[in-house]
Amino acid sequence: MQRFVRAKLHGLRVTGADLNYHGSITIDAELCRAAGLEPLEFVEIWNKMSGARISTYVLYGDPGSRCCILNGAAARTCQIGDEVIIASSEWGSFEDVAAISPKVLTFRDGNEIDERIVYRVFRNAAGERDMAIETDAGAPLAVRDLVG
């Protein structure tokens, strides 16, 4: 068994920090559903501004609110406006991740979805493990197109 990326929110901006809450991260339910994040699922959070890395669980926030609120101890790791990467993972085999086709959302100001990307994993013509990064419509994306 290996650990694979299952869903990712890339460049989501922190909209709040509540130190006096139980813990977790509250994310707009619409964004969670679009990426495939489940309620109470554990996620890794990487702060692009400070380099802080934490692990916590997801709470669904109000649909359409575009919220990303760090709660409890996690509130100490981010400032409002910081860009974060939030990734969930799953244990399984190569075939399992190939069946999932992990979804990635990127964001622009206001936490509006900018791009919907799919990591497609497959066996190539030679039977080797391979992957492609595509738009959700299936158009290929070169890795260099994803680097700012």
Side-chain angles (χ1 to χ4, degrees):
M1 305 270 296
Q2 296 173 302
R3 188 175 174 200
F4 295 95
V5 171
R6 196 176 64 69
K8 185 168 83 168
L9 304 175
H10 189 101
L12 193 65
R13 274 94 173 163
V14 174
T15 61
D18 187 352
L19 184 61
N20 297 313
Y21 193 72
H22 300 248
S24 68
I25 183 168
T26 304
I27 307 170
D28 178 325
E30 287 179 358
L31 301 179
C32 291
R33 290 182 187 117
L37 291 175
E38 303 292 343
L40 303 181
E41 177 175 7
F42 272 90
V43 292
E44 301 292 327
I45 303 168
W46 307 308
N47 185 323
K48 291 175 62 177
M49 314 312 267
S50 71
R53 294 173 162 257
I54 62 166
S55 176
T56 192
Y57 58 95
V58 173
L59 296 178
Y60 276 12
D62 292 336
S65 66
R66 300 301 182 247
C67 69
C68 174
I69 305 166
L70 281 293
N71 302 308
R76 295 263 190 221
T77 67
C78 297
Q79 301 292 316
I80 294 173
D82 283 358
E83 287 186 34
V84 294
I85 299 167
I86 301 166
S88 70
S89 61
E90 185 168 304
W91 290 93
S93 67
F94 176 82
E95 288 71 24
D96 293 329
V97 75
I100 293 169
S101 294
K103 295 181 180 100
V104 178
L105 303 179
T106 65
F107 296 88
R108 58 182 174 266
D109 290 340
N111 285 343
E112 296 298 324
I113 296 171
D114 186 35
E115 294 179 296
R116 295 171 188 260
I117 299 169
V118 175
Y119 293 160
R120 193 170 60 81
V121 177
F122 57 93
R123 292 196 183 272
N124 63 22
E128 301 164 322
R129 295 174 181 195
D130 210 340
M131 72 171 291
I133 301 171
E134 304 173 340
T135 67
D136 63 345
L141 292 169
V143 172
R144 68 181 173 276
D145 294 337
L146 302 174
V147 178

